[in-house]
Amino acid sequence: MKALVAYYSESGNTEKLAKAIYGGIDVPKKEIMPISEAISKDYDVIFVGFPVQASSVPAKVEGFIKSIPEGKKLAFFVTHGSLRGGQLAISALYYAFSLALKPSVIGTFGCRGQVKPGLIDALLKNPEHKAWAMEAQSAAGHPDKSDLEDGKEFANLMIAKARNM
Ligand SMILES: Cc1cc2nc3c(=O)[nH]c(=O)nc-3n(C[C@H](O)[C@H](O)[C@H](O)COP(=O)(O)O)c2cc1C
């Protein structure tokens, strides 16, 4: 079994989580790289990570998800400013699901990621971003140690699940 962690990250939060997930993958062959460099066809299990943007999937990540061939096992992970488990973040995961070939998604994980200082004030004035920006005010410091531990455990469980399929 060969595993890939492919991520997109603008301010480093998703990259931190990607590294924790990579650390939790217990297979002899594994690689981690930005989505811009990733080619999915060589792997059996692919972890795809991205920041939630405008309650959705960043355009660069959409193309990658769509390009993943049939027969791969996919696990999505996201960071987001809004509350963990909230509808604003979950809608992005639903959309990611809709881009992938259906039976291939074996799990998802999300945690909060702080928004760049100064940005929240500007976003609160923008109707498109106001809802999540209000929630994002308490995301400072995330992903924290506990988020990264959870991410690592998620990776471990996904590999166990993929082995048993
Ligand atoms: C342009 C932009 C749009 C965003 N939209 C959302 C959103 O709709 N919902 C949300 O919860 N967080 C949103 N965020 C916050 C990011 O998802 C969050 O800070 C994430 O951890 C950033 O990850 P990164 O450092 O890997 O880029 C947005 C951030 C930016 C810069």
Side-chain angles (χ1 to χ4, degrees):
M1 183 181 285
K2 205 171 167 194
L4 169 70
V5 179
Y7 63 90
Y8 175 69
S9 183
E10 287 183 10
S11 57
N13 296 333
T14 312
E15 184 176 21
K16 261 188 214 166
L17 180 58
K19 287 179 178 166
I21 283 174
Y22 181 74
I25 298 175
D26 183 17
V27 297
K29 287 183 183 169
K30 59 177 183 175
E31 287 183 72
I32 180 168
M33 63 189 77
I35 271 175
S36 56
E37 294 167 22
I39 299 166
S40 55
K41 68 174 176 51
D42 299 337
Y43 305 88
D44 309 298
V45 185
I46 304 165
F47 291 81
V48 181
F50 57 90
V52 173
Q53 289 189 351
S55 299
S56 193
V57 180
K60 288 173 186 166
V61 181
E62 274 195 38
F64 180 73
I65 297 172
K66 285 184 189 161
S67 76
I68 297 174
E70 211 172 324
K72 308 293 180 188
K73 295 179 179 81
L74 282 187
F76 291 123
F77 62 98
V78 295
T79 65
H80 51 87
S82 53
L83 293 170
R84 190 165 175 177
Q87 184 266 328
L88 291 167
I90 286 173
S91 62
L93 284 169
Y94 270 110
Y95 184 57
F97 257 89
S98 77
L99 299 171
L101 294 165
K102 284 282 173 312
S104 58
V105 183
I106 60 169
T108 67
F109 176 82
C111 74
R112 304 186 77 190
Q114 67 182 9
V115 181
K116 289 173 253 183
L119 189 59
I120 292 184
D121 290 344
L123 290 167
L124 287 170
K125 297 182 187 120
N126 179 335
E128 189 199 354
H129 293 299
K130 191 172 176 186
W132 72 264
M134 278 172 69
E135 293 187 11
Q137 294 175 93
S138 58
H142 290 274
D144 61 15
K145 201 170 165 237
S146 158
D147 297 323
L148 299 178
E149 280 301 316
D150 287 351
K152 197 172 167 183
E153 189 183 347
F154 162 73
N156 204 276
L157 290 169
M158 289 302 102
I159 294 297
K161 189 171 177 179
R163 276 205 183 100
N164 289 320
M165 286 175 91

